[in-house]
PDB file of all heavy atoms in Angstrom:
ATOM      1  N   THR C  46    -186.846 -15.908  50.879  1.00  0.00           N
ATOM      2  CA  THR C  46    -185.508 -15.515  51.315  1.00  0.00           C
ATOM      3  C   THR C  46    -185.490 -14.138  51.952  1.00  0.00           C
ATOM      4  O   THR C  46    -184.623 -13.839  52.760  1.00  0.00           O
ATOM      5  CB  THR C  46    -184.514 -15.515  50.132  1.00  0.00           C
ATOM      6  OG1 THR C  46    -185.083 -14.748  49.072  1.00  0.00           O
ATOM      7  CG2 THR C  46    -184.239 -16.917  49.669  1.00  0.00           C
ATOM      8  N   ILE C  76    -172.912 -25.527  28.348  1.00  0.00           N
ATOM      9  CA  ILE C  76    -172.111 -25.704  29.564  1.00  0.00           C
ATOM     10  C   ILE C  76    -172.657 -26.862  30.358  1.00  0.00           C
ATOM     11  O   ILE C  76    -173.846 -26.948  30.607  1.00  0.00           O
ATOM     12  CB  ILE C  76    -172.161 -24.429  30.431  1.00  0.00           C
ATOM     13  CG1 ILE C  76    -171.139 -23.418  29.925  1.00  0.00           C
ATOM     14  CG2 ILE C  76    -171.857 -24.740  31.874  1.00  0.00           C
ATOM     15  CD1 ILE C  76    -170.968 -22.254  30.837  1.00  0.00           C
ATOM     16  N   CYS C  81    -167.395 -28.009  34.124  1.00  0.00           N
ATOM     17  CA  CYS C  81    -166.796 -26.758  34.608  1.00  0.00           C
ATOM     18  C   CYS C  81    -166.032 -26.989  35.890  1.00  0.00           C
ATOM     19  O   CYS C  81    -164.958 -26.431  36.104  1.00  0.00           O
ATOM     20  CB  CYS C  81    -167.870 -25.706  34.862  1.00  0.00           C
ATOM     21  SG  CYS C  81    -168.677 -25.179  33.382  1.00  0.00           S
ATOM     22  N   ILE C  90    -154.936 -26.768  39.684  1.00  0.00           N
ATOM     23  CA  ILE C  90    -153.815 -27.637  40.059  1.00  0.00           C
ATOM     24  C   ILE C  90    -152.593 -27.364  39.192  1.00  0.00           C
ATOM     25  O   ILE C  90    -151.464 -27.222  39.690  1.00  0.00           O
ATOM     26  CB  ILE C  90    -154.231 -29.118  39.970  1.00  0.00           C
ATOM     27  CG1 ILE C  90    -155.257 -29.419  41.049  1.00  0.00           C
ATOM     28  CG2 ILE C  90    -153.026 -30.027  40.123  1.00  0.00           C
ATOM     29  CD1 ILE C  90    -155.752 -30.836  41.034  1.00  0.00           C
ATOM     30  N   PHE C  94    -149.004 -25.888  40.554  1.00  0.00           N
ATOM     31  CA  PHE C  94    -147.778 -26.654  40.328  1.00  0.00           C
ATOM     32  C   PHE C  94    -146.726 -25.807  39.619  1.00  0.00           C
ATOM     33  O   PHE C  94    -145.588 -25.655  40.074  1.00  0.00           O
ATOM     34  CB  PHE C  94    -148.151 -27.892  39.509  1.00  0.00           C
ATOM     35  CG  PHE C  94    -147.018 -28.810  39.247  1.00  0.00           C
ATOM     36  CD1 PHE C  94    -146.403 -29.493  40.286  1.00  0.00           C
ATOM     37  CD2 PHE C  94    -146.566 -29.015  37.954  1.00  0.00           C
ATOM     38  CE1 PHE C  94    -145.356 -30.355  40.040  1.00  0.00           C
ATOM     39  CE2 PHE C  94    -145.515 -29.875  37.699  1.00  0.00           C
ATOM     40  CZ  PHE C  94    -144.908 -30.553  38.744  1.00  0.00           C
ATOM     41  N   LEU C  95    -147.118 -25.212  38.489  1.00  0.00           N
ATOM     42  CA  LEU C  95    -146.167 -24.418  37.720  1.00  0.00           C
ATOM     43  C   LEU C  95    -145.713 -23.190  38.488  1.00  0.00           C
ATOM     44  O   LEU C  95    -144.537 -22.816  38.452  1.00  0.00           O
ATOM     45  CB  LEU C  95    -146.792 -24.012  36.376  1.00  0.00           C
ATOM     46  CG  LEU C  95    -146.980 -25.146  35.380  1.00  0.00           C
ATOM     47  CD1 LEU C  95    -147.682 -24.654  34.131  1.00  0.00           C
ATOM     48  CD2 LEU C  95    -145.647 -25.766  35.029  1.00  0.00           C
ATOM     49  N   LEU C 134    -155.672  -5.719  30.972  1.00  0.00           N
ATOM     50  CA  LEU C 134    -156.580  -6.674  30.327  1.00  0.00           C
ATOM     51  C   LEU C 134    -156.537  -6.619  28.821  1.00  0.00           C
ATOM     52  O   LEU C 134    -156.296  -7.625  28.154  1.00  0.00           O
ATOM     53  CB  LEU C 134    -158.021  -6.424  30.815  1.00  0.00           C
ATOM     54  CG  LEU C 134    -159.000  -7.462  30.347  1.00  0.00           C
ATOM     55  CD1 LEU C 134    -159.228  -8.493  31.419  1.00  0.00           C
ATOM     56  CD2 LEU C 134    -160.316  -6.843  29.950  1.00  0.00           C
ATOM     57  N   ILE C 174    -134.005 -18.097  56.276  1.00  0.00           N
ATOM     58  CA  ILE C 174    -133.289 -19.340  56.521  1.00  0.00           C
ATOM     59  C   ILE C 174    -131.834 -19.009  56.810  1.00  0.00           C
ATOM     60  O   ILE C 174    -131.203 -18.275  56.045  1.00  0.00           O
ATOM     61  CB  ILE C 174    -133.413 -20.280  55.310  1.00  0.00           C
ATOM     62  CG1 ILE C 174    -134.880 -20.689  55.169  1.00  0.00           C
ATOM     63  CG2 ILE C 174    -132.524 -21.494  55.468  1.00  0.00           C
ATOM     64  CD1 ILE C 174    -135.170 -21.466  53.943  1.00  0.00           C
ATOM     65  N   ALA C 238    -169.343 -20.092  34.798  1.00  0.00           N
ATOM     66  CA  ALA C 238    -170.638 -20.746  34.715  1.00  0.00           C
ATOM     67  C   ALA C 238    -171.611 -20.170  35.730  1.00  0.00           C
ATOM     68  O   ALA C 238    -172.811 -20.113  35.482  1.00  0.00           O
ATOM     69  CB  ALA C 238    -170.477 -22.250  34.929  1.00  0.00           C
ATOM     70  N   ILE C 277    -150.495 -29.342  56.512  1.00  0.00           N
ATOM     71  CA  ILE C 277    -149.622 -28.281  57.014  1.00  0.00           C
ATOM     72  C   ILE C 277    -149.244 -28.589  58.453  1.00  0.00           C
ATOM     73  O   ILE C 277    -148.085 -28.506  58.835  1.00  0.00           O
ATOM     74  CB  ILE C 277    -150.310 -26.915  56.924  1.00  0.00           C
ATOM     75  CG1 ILE C 277    -150.624 -26.597  55.476  1.00  0.00           C
ATOM     76  CG2 ILE C 277    -149.426 -25.844  57.513  1.00  0.00           C
ATOM     77  CD1 ILE C 277    -151.432 -25.340  55.321  1.00  0.00           C
ATOM     78  N   LYS C 287    -135.688 -27.253  64.518  1.00  0.00           N
ATOM     79  CA  LYS C 287    -134.536 -27.325  63.624  1.00  0.00           C
ATOM     80  C   LYS C 287    -133.275 -26.997  64.395  1.00  0.00           C
ATOM     81  O   LYS C 287    -133.293 -26.199  65.326  1.00  0.00           O
ATOM     82  CB  LYS C 287    -134.701 -26.315  62.485  1.00  0.00           C
ATOM     83  CG  LYS C 287    -136.000 -26.510  61.734  1.00  0.00           C
ATOM     84  CD  LYS C 287    -136.180 -25.432  60.701  1.00  0.00           C
ATOM     85  CE  LYS C 287    -136.577 -24.100  61.304  1.00  0.00           C
ATOM     86  NZ  LYS C 287    -137.903 -24.153  61.912  1.00  0.00           N
TER      87      LYS C 287
END
Side-chain angles (χ1 to χ4, degrees):
Chain C
T46 51
I76 277 189
C81 294
I90 292 179
F94 183 66
L95 290 176
L134 187 98
I174 294 173
I277 299 174
K287 305 175 285 294

